[in-house]
C-alpha cells in the first residue's frame, strides 16, 4: 500500500492556529519530496509548502510564508503543516502529497484532503 492520510482540519476563528498531519504508509517519507497543497472553491489548486529530498530545501507560497511551517518526523513517518495567524483566505481543502518534486506534476501520491475553514 502507498497511502497518505491527512488529519487536523476543522473550523477555527481568524487568528488561531492549526497543525495538519499527514501519515504515510507503504513508503518512507524520508526518501521522498513532501508537500502540502490547497484548493479553495472556484480556485486552482496551489502549492503551499514543500520539502525537497534532493537538497532539503523548503518552499512556501508567498501568501503563507512567515505564518506556515512544513516539517517531517521520520520516526513517525509523518509530515506536518503548522499554520499560524489563520485568515478567512486560508479556507480550503488541504492535501498532502509526496513524490519526485515540489510541483504538482512531480507528486506521485496524494491524500484525500482535509477541510480547513477559518471564520468568525
Amino acid at each position: 500500500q502507498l497511502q497518505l492520510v491527512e488529519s487536523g482540519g476543522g473550523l477555527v476563528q481568524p487568528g488561531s492556529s492549526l497543525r495538519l498531519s499527514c501519515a504515510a504508509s507503504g513508503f518512507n517519507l524520508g526518501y521522498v519530496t513532501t508537500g502540502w497543497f490547497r484548493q479553495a472553491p472556484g480556485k486552482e489548486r496551489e502549492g503551499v509548502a514543500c520539502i525537497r529530498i534532493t537538497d532539503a530545501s523548503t518552499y512556501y507560497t508567498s501568501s503563507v510564508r512567515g505564518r506556515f511551517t512544513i516539517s517531517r518526523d521520520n520516526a513517525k513517518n509523518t509530515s506536518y503543516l503548522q499554520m499560524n495567524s489563520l485568515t478567512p483566505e486560508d479556507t480550503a481543502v488541504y492535501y498532502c502529497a509526496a513524490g519526485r518534486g515540489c510541483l504538482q506534476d512531480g507528486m506521485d501520491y496524494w491524500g484525500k484532503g482535509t477541510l480547513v475553514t477559518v471564520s468568525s
Side-chain angles (χ1 to χ4, degrees), residues 27-86:
F27 62 97
N28 191 334
L29 284 180
Y31 297 148
V32 297
T33 290
T34 303
W36 288 88
F37 297 78
R38 68 184 181 186
Q39 186 169 23
K43 295 185 178 181
E44 294 282 337
R45 185 171 59 191
E46 65 172 343
V48 177
C50 188
I51 302 177
R52 295 188 65 178
I53 192 63
T54 52
D55 58 5
S57 297
T58 58
Y59 299 89
Y60 299 93
T61 191
S62 60
S63 63
V64 310
R65 190 162 49 244
R67 298 188 297 119
F68 290 12
T69 304
I70 187 171
S71 62
R72 182 175 61 221
D73 186 333
N74 292 148
K76 296 181 178 179
N77 209 25
T78 300
S79 173
Y80 302 96
L81 184 68
Q82 178 67 46
M83 305 185 295
N84 298 329
S85 301
L86 286 163

